[in-house]
Amino acid sequence: MLGFKLVYSDDYYLPIGAHVFPAEKYERVHRRLLRTGVAEPSDFVAPEAASDRDILLVHTPRYVEKLKTGTLSAHEELQLEIPYSPELVRAFWLAAGGSILAADLALRDRIAFNIGGGFHHAFPDHGEGFCMIHDVAVAIRRMQRDDRIRGAMTVDCDVHHGNGTAAIFAGVRVPSSPLPSTGGPLLPPAAPAKLRNAHAGDVFTISLHQEHNYPAWKPPSSIDVDLPDKIGDEDYLGWLDHALSSGLRQFEPDLICYIAGADPYREDQLGGLSLTIEGLKRRDELVFRVARARDIPIMVTFAGGYARQVEDTVTIHSNTVIAAKEVFSTVRNH
Ligand SMILES: [Zn+2]
């Protein structure tokens, strides 16, 4: 037994046909975790779809109405980059319900996964880049509405900037000088990435992403780390450590929402960074160690992953669960 829960449904499958987004990846991660003995059937819990009321905590009534009646404009469907269908709407409502459940379970067990979700390009009034509904934002707003949390922090390690997250939880940009790291085992980052800092509201957003990649317009997160092309494991981990330390000096979250994209991988078709599979697992361990050390509950979602071999994407996502198992299993022995 893992000691924490994995929220999963076979209905996470996105009915989008042949597409660069491997819609079957959730099912394959589920199978891999069971086959390799990382998880048991009892570690998985099934979500319910989010209610419209939950979705409306983040999205506009007009957008929700368009989705439910199939009346997106041609431009809006183009922006979404996946073909609209009522079944697709149901899959996104379910993914949002999965993130709500994972947040709820993370507050109980210190950590929980949604084996799906992380649709960080969705805005209140439209979808973009394969993301119809911002499941993570819905989960945060629902936890706040239920008085389960006050503030949350998103830690977005997908290769693409979390533009929807930044827009939903918009802060006010202020000029700032680079913040010193608290140090630790990692060397200071050597690669010339740029760290930009803005005030946060009740949700502090951190995004580490490739600067020269989608989306072209990157609204300000609380901390944006614009990484140069081809950055490797050590530099990436240095910048992640730096951003986490800086963020947690500025803000004390009641919940961390970790968006563990698999696409910073060097073999990714839509990414231009050079992380290895091992480096990505160290990334996960770093985030989990920080959450554990500060005793902050953490909810995990998967976001993107477009490796040339889908098997690699499945490995990277499965490794995130293994990293959590390794970091959090020692907690119970205290
Ligand atoms: Zn991505």
Side-chain angles (χ1 to χ4, degrees):
M1 268 214 350
L2 281 174
F4 55 86
K5 293 297 179 189
L6 309 171
V7 179
Y8 171 75
S9 165
D10 287 341
D11 295 330
Y12 279 174
Y13 178 84
L14 300 176
I16 53 178
H19 197 282
V20 67
F21 190 101
E24 74 280 17
K25 74 174 184 177
Y26 309 119
E27 190 191 331
R28 289 178 66 164
V29 170
H30 175 242
R31 270 210 314 270
R32 171 83 72 86
L33 292 171
L34 287 173
R35 184 168 53 76
T36 55
V38 172
E40 303 173 3
S42 63
D43 293 319
F44 292 91
V45 289
E48 287 177 16
S51 68
D52 292 353
R53 188 171 168 230
D54 294 330
I55 300 292
L56 288 165
L57 293 169
V58 170
H59 295 280
T60 63
R62 189 168 147 75
Y63 178 50
V64 170
E65 180 68 18
K66 283 183 191 174
L67 292 175
K68 298 199 72 137
T69 53
T71 49
L72 292 177
S73 69
H75 172 73
E76 285 169 326
E77 198 175 338
L78 206 64
Q79 224 177 359
L80 200 53
E81 296 188 75
I82 42 177
Y84 174 89
S85 68
E87 293 74 30
L88 188 65
V89 172
R90 279 202 287 278
F92 274 96
W93 255 246
L94 186 62
S99 287
I100 291 170
L101 180 56
D104 176 61
L105 293 168
L107 294 171
R108 186 190 75 181
D109 298 335
R110 312 315 288 168
I111 179 164
F113 279 69
N114 188 5
I115 303 294
F119 297 112
H120 60 160
H121 300 311
F123 286 71
D125 62 350
H126 71 278
E128 283 186 21
F130 323 147
C131 302
M132 181 182 277
I133 290 292
H134 201 310
D135 56 291
V136 175
V138 169
I140 289 170
R141 289 301 189 218
R142 170 68 189 273
M143 291 302 112
Q144 288 177 325
R145 193 198 74 194
D146 292 352
D147 283 329
R148 303 284 308 282
I149 62 169
R150 288 189 306 278
M153 174 179 280
T154 60
V155 177
D156 189 340
C157 290
D158 191 276
V159 78
H160 303 105
H161 177 256
N163 56 345
T165 321
I168 290 166
F169 302 118
V172 179
R173 171 146 336 271
V174 289
S176 73
S177 48
L179 295 154
S181 171
T182 52
L186 295 162
L187 293 170
K194 280 175 277 183
L195 189 145
R196 296 180 280 129
N197 213 164
H199 277 312
D202 58 356
V203 178
F204 193 100
T205 55
I206 298 177
S207 179
L208 261 82
H209 49 266
Q210 185 186 4
E211 181 176 14
H212 300 295
N213 201 330
Y214 175 93
W217 179 62
K218 298 175 176 64
S221 312
S222 308
I223 292 179
D224 280 308
V225 182
D226 299 321
L227 298 166
D229 299 349
K230 301 286 176 203
I231 198 171
D233 293 343
E234 299 306 324
D235 288 324
Y236 185 96
L237 292 169
W239 278 105
L240 175 59
D241 179 45
H242 192 67
L244 286 170
S245 306
S246 299
L248 289 166
R249 266 199 309 279
Q250 298 174 51
F251 190 86
E252 285 182 39
D254 301 310
L255 175 70
I256 291 175
C257 296
Y258 176 36
I259 299 173
D263 48 14
Y265 178 44
R266 62 183 176 187
E267 297 290 326
D268 197 89
Q269 299 173 84
L270 301 185
L273 300 186
S274 295
L275 274 75
T276 63
I277 288 180
E278 186 51 38
L280 286 159
K281 182 159 181 266
R282 288 169 62 202
R283 169 199 71 170
D284 299 333
E285 289 164 359
L286 174 56
V287 175
F288 294 145
R289 277 204 309 272
V290 166
R292 194 196 88 163
R294 295 174 186 252
D295 206 19
I296 305 166
I298 181 163
M299 182 269 261
V300 188
T301 56
F302 279 166
Y306 316 93
R308 285 176 187 84
Q309 308 291 328
V310 177
E311 208 53 24
D312 286 347
T313 297
V314 172
T315 298
I316 294 163
H317 286 321
S318 301
N319 280 348
T320 306
V321 178
I322 294 170
K325 187 176 183 176
E326 288 168 359
V327 171
F328 281 86
S329 65
T330 59
V331 173
R332 294 196 303 278
N333 298 333
H334 281 299

